Amino acid sequence: MFKNKSAWFSSSVPQACHNFWRLEGGSIAGCRTADYLFSEDATCADTMRIFESKDYLWNKVAVFHSLFLSACERRQSVKSVCIGHYVLPPASVQDEVRQVVGRLIWEFEDEQSVAQFGFLLFHRVLVARQKMSAVKSAKATLDHLIRSQKVKLLKVFIIQ
């Protein structure tokens, strides 16, 4: 699964994740050279150092929750698991995300809850798009009415 890929693991990640990574063909590397960075705790000192690094601040690296590996193991595939759902942001950002979404994907207990989370997230995006579309439509209608009123006013002005 992880052939020719390297990973760095925070001290917060259980050894079983390291073992699974190696078992599936991946190698272990330092945080500056690894293809993937995994942590389970955004407040862990080694993870916080990454969040404070230039590479992180300049969007050159991302930290992923190690439960991504558990999802890959359950599905026996990397390609069927969206790694973007497992981005581990700093703790302060997690609080803001929770206010919008409710829970982060790794805070769910089972696969069914994860699927429901995906549906909920999809639904919220869909509703937001529909609201934007409705606003654009209302604005277009309003613009049309304003233009037509200006034309009527202009005709009245010209006739007088």
Side-chain angles (χ1 to χ4, degrees):
M1 239 185 280
F2 308 116
K3 189 176 182 181
N4 299 322
K5 301 293 181 192
S6 61
W8 169 85
F9 292 93
S10 162
S11 60
S12 64
V13 177
Q15 188 63 41
C17 290
H18 301 234
N19 297 342
F20 175 68
W21 182 265
R22 282 193 208 103
L23 184 69
E24 293 295 326
S27 62
I28 308 296
C31 63
R32 295 188 147 269
T33 59
D35 298 315
Y36 297 93
L37 307 177
F38 291 106
S39 179
E40 276 199 14
D41 182 3
T43 62
C44 186
D46 55 10
T47 306
M48 288 179 65
R49 278 194 297 276
I50 290 172
F51 291 144
E52 294 165 356
S53 72
K54 278 186 190 177
D55 285 344
Y56 184 82
L57 296 174
W58 291 352
N59 295 320
K60 292 184 177 185
V61 298
V63 178
F64 300 99
H65 198 285
S66 61
L67 283 179
F68 168 75
L69 300 173
S70 300
C72 292
E73 184 177 23
R74 272 194 314 277
R75 294 188 179 181
Q76 293 296 302
S77 170
V78 171
K79 293 178 182 177
S80 66
V81 180
C82 179
I83 195 167
H85 290 167
Y86 292 88
V87 170
L88 180 72
S92 59
V93 176
Q94 288 181 34
D95 294 337
E96 292 177 31
V97 170
R98 281 186 194 96
Q99 289 176 5
V100 174
V101 178
R103 287 190 283 180
L104 298 160
I105 196 166
W106 55 83
E107 295 171 331
F108 289 98
E109 295 176 18
D110 58 24
E111 187 104 9
Q112 182 178 0
S113 296
V114 170
Q116 288 170 347
F117 171 79
F119 176 76
L120 177 64
L121 193 58
F122 172 76
H123 183 266
R124 287 184 181 178
V125 168
L126 186 62
V127 167
R129 284 183 180 165
Q130 288 172 341
K131 286 180 181 177
M132 286 175 42
S133 179
V135 167
K136 285 179 183 177
S137 177
K139 184 181 180 311
T141 302
L142 186 58
D143 287 347
H144 174 72
L145 288 172
I146 290 170
R147 272 187 258 119
S148 64
Q149 289 299 339
K150 285 181 183 176
V151 169
K152 286 179 185 176
L153 287 173
L154 185 58
K155 285 180 183 176
V156 170
F157 181 74
I158 292 172
I159 292 173
Q160 291 178 351

